[in-house]
Amino acid sequence: MTTASSPKPSSTKHWDAVSVIIAKRDGEVLPDDAIRWFINAYTEGTVADEQASALAMAVFLNGLTPPELATWTEAMIDTGDRVDHSALGRITVDKHSTGGVGDKVSLILCPLVAACSRELAVPQLAGRGLGHTGGTIDKMESIPGWRPELTAAEMKAMLLDVGAMIASASGNIAPADKKLYALRDTTGTVASIPLIASSIMSKKIAGGTQNLVLDVKIGRGAFMTNVGQARELAETMVGIGQRAGVKTVALLTRMDQPLGSMIGNTVEVNESIELLEGGDIAPRSQDLADVTLALAVEMLDMAGIDADPAAVLASGAALPVWEGMVAAQGGDLSAPRPVAAHEQIVEAPSDGYLADYRALDFGIAAVRLGAGRARKGDDISFGAGIELLVKPGSPVSAGQPILRLMSDDASTFEVAADVLADATTIAPEPSEIPDPVIERIS
Ligand code: URA
């Protein structure tokens, strides 16, 4: 695209937002100090939301070179504090997902890994829902009383006492990301490799973990829809981590179908607790358990801990760690969690085998039901969501209930049911359900 002549950023001028936006819009490489100036000015509020949206869109369309991305990530880290966990005397290990539908892995994984060894601490800094994907903090906030923000002293006490924590990456950890993340959610600028990589890695590096496992989702419900893009994102993040001295490994995992059997907030907490209680894994949660255990194996391996996370999960030993984590942040697991005011059942339209649930449409339908946000700052409805009564691979007969929709606003059912009707495939023959873990990148 050609443009009217505009001031070009150079490393000697004083920056203004419009010239930085125009330079990136026109495909130029931004000087380091332009990037640093813009990120700081946006964090401080002198660059407006609409200007940051425009730059995010320009980056979405034109990308960042590796040196630009390194500066962008460092600038985001430098807007806040860096946590130092060295006084804990524990090996720190954390995980982050690029985001999926029904992805409640962190709720199970953090207490599970901590339950595997007292030598470990899992300091997870998490985010809110983004686009059609859910967010760990939103899910945790469906527990009455639970508060996401922890001071450095509270984090330290929790990691020593309980061994794990899930806290919001707000406060003063990469505050630039807090603002940009919410803005990207509502401006169509989420699915960009440099923006995702810098968002995740700025929080994780500032969060102070020594070891990091990334769950890079691929498929129709992920921001990366093919293996090539996902591999590029994984390699980009592993590179940023290694350069910053954080041992980083990535697993590429499938996000074509929603993970597990619940999509929403309260309902995802409920499914996580079922797994943490131990015993046999319900078939409809098997894919969730498989991804969680694959990530746990990597985390333990990086930390040099010899433990069998499958056996620990089955024993129920992670449940007291989870209860300790929730209680330390004011959460009351005995109090009733929000339940949606209305329910609607979706039935199978024909006999056959459930072949497919397209995860993206399920994520969109969950947002329409109230479980996610349409606009920055919207309230969410914690009880809203979707229960998969039947998972792909199972036989179904016409009229059999396959989905339960939950919403506080019954008028949302029609549009959600329409989205889901097109997103569900019933086939005459059973289809193979592939292994959810595709590849490891280190
Ligand atoms: N998760 C994040 O923390 N940031 C993104 O940009 C996408 C997923």
Side-chain angles (χ1 to χ4, degrees), residues 12 36 142 154 182 196 205 211 231 237-238 242 251 253-254 264 276 281-282 300 306 316 374 379 381 389-390 420-421:
T12 51
R36 287 190 172 279
S142 68
E154 286 171 329
I196 296 177
I205 295 167
N211 299 284
R231 203 176 279 136
M237 291 194 290
V238 168
Q242 304 287 22
L251 292 187
T253 71
R254 261 177 238 286
L276 288 163
I281 292 160
L300 294 166
D306 183 18
D379 283 337
S381 185
L389 300 169
V390 181
L420 294 175

Side-chain angles (χ1 to χ4, degrees), residues 3 8 77 90 138 199 210-211 256 269 301 349 401-402 431:
T3 54
K8 298 255 185 303
I77 296 171
R90 303 265 179 101
D138 292 330
S199 163
Q210 297 161 314
N211 299 284
D256 285 313
V269 169
D301 193 46
I402 54 170
S431 47

Side-chain angles (χ1 to χ4, degrees), residues 231-264:
R231 203 176 279 136
E232 188 184 336
L233 175 61
E235 285 168 357
T236 303
M237 291 194 290
V238 168
I240 296 174
Q242 304 287 22
R243 273 192 298 277
V246 179
K247 198 162 148 196
T248 310
V249 165
L251 292 187
L252 307 189
T253 71
R254 261 177 238 286
M255 181 37 71
D256 285 313
Q257 321 277 348
L259 203 54
S261 63
M262 299 289 188
I263 306 164

